[in-house]
Amino acid sequence: LDINFEIKDKILEIVKGDITLRNTDAIVNAANRYLQHGGGVALAIVRRGGDIIQTESNMIIRNQGPIPTGKAVYTSAGNLKSKYVIHVVGPDYNEYAPDAATEFLKMSINSCFDLALKLRLKSISLPAISSGIYGFPKDKCADILIQETFRHLEKRDSLKKVEFVLFDEITADIFANTAKKYF
Ligand code: AR6
């Protein structure tokens, strides 16, 4: 399952697979506030990318303290094919009222796009932020992330390709069906 959607000269791609194997300019990590990459996609990224990702993350925390929910920071990508890992802190669905969680997830993906612009990225890969350990309902997560992506791709800027890389078939199907609604 690999589906492309086009908007002007830009592409949204829905991919079923492992985000650590992608060769876009940056991959996004679903991180926690302390950037301790101990589980889920975060652990997979550090395992394949190497200790440098955790080491640089620790330096960020030492310098600026815990990262607020909805904010993104970046490190290098070690052995990964990408140039950067963007670490975004999505909302833990059990910690917020549904409306607040929705706003934080919007803020999260837009923080990634802001960094993409700052770093002049042409392509970026994202996972289903907050939908694993943080318990965000997958259909709601897909709806928010795809809608914000659509809004972003309508703008004129350097980011030409956004791909969502979903680990399992069910999540990939949800994202593909959601994208069909918007694109
Ligand atoms: N490639 C793509 N997607 C993946 C991969 C992978 N290799 N591995 C898992 N997923 P999660 P969260 C999917 O739990 O909910 C960590 O411990 C997974 O199926 O990684 O934001 C952090 O350090 C799910 O759909 O992130 C935080 O403490 C999605 O990625 C906490 O988990 C996100 O699941 C963050 O929880």
Side-chain angles (χ1 to χ4, degrees):
L1 183 139
D2 266 34
I3 307 184
N4 286 314
F5 299 88
E6 284 175 29
I7 174 166
K8 295 174 192 162
D9 60 334
K10 299 179 173 189
I11 294 174
L12 165 70
E13 195 164 338
I14 309 291
V15 180
K16 180 186 165 297
D18 182 344
I19 200 169
T20 66
L21 299 173
R22 306 304 295 175
N23 65 357
T24 40
D25 292 341
I27 67 171
V28 170
N29 175 25
N32 57 47
R33 301 186 61 211
Y34 305 98
L35 304 182
Q36 293 306 303
H37 310 308
V41 67
L43 183 60
I45 287 170
V46 170
R47 283 230 172 106
R48 197 181 299 275
D51 290 342
I52 187 167
I53 297 171
Q54 185 64 70
T55 303
E56 287 183 24
S57 295
N58 293 343
M59 278 167 56
I60 292 170
I61 297 298
R62 208 179 310 136
N63 289 333
Q64 59 192 69
I67 311 300
T69 301
K71 203 186 159 194
V73 297
Y74 69 96
T75 64
S76 60
N79 304 320
L80 303 177
K81 290 180 193 151
S82 304
K83 298 187 191 82
Y84 305 102
V85 177
I86 292 177
H87 305 269
V88 70
V89 183
D92 184 338
Y93 198 73
N94 302 303
E95 278 186 18
Y96 298 99
D99 284 357
T102 295
E103 285 313 305
F104 276 124
L105 190 59
K106 279 186 194 172
M107 207 189 284
S108 298
I109 187 165
N110 285 304
S111 298
C112 295
F113 291 144
D114 289 347
L115 267 187
L117 239 56
K118 184 177 151 187
L119 297 167
R120 298 188 158 279
L121 308 183
K122 292 198 174 66
S123 59
I124 189 169
S125 304
L126 297 117
I129 303 161
S130 287
S131 79
I133 293 165
Y134 280 179
F136 213 104
K138 298 211 187 248
D139 52 343
K140 230 172 135 174
C141 173
D143 207 71
I144 294 160
L145 296 182
I146 298 277
Q147 193 177 353
E148 292 308 302
T149 299
F150 184 83
R151 273 159 35 88
H152 191 84
L153 289 177
E154 280 183 317
K155 296 178 189 167
R156 206 198 301 273
D157 66 35
S158 55
L159 189 63
K160 299 297 181 205
K161 180 179 167 183
V162 175
E163 57 173 39
F164 285 96
V165 185
L166 299 320
F167 211 38
D168 60 277
E169 187 103 39
I170 292 173
T171 314
D173 281 345
I174 292 172
F175 272 71
N177 287 326
T178 304
K180 284 176 195 156
K181 270 198 332 198
Y182 288 103
F183 283 76

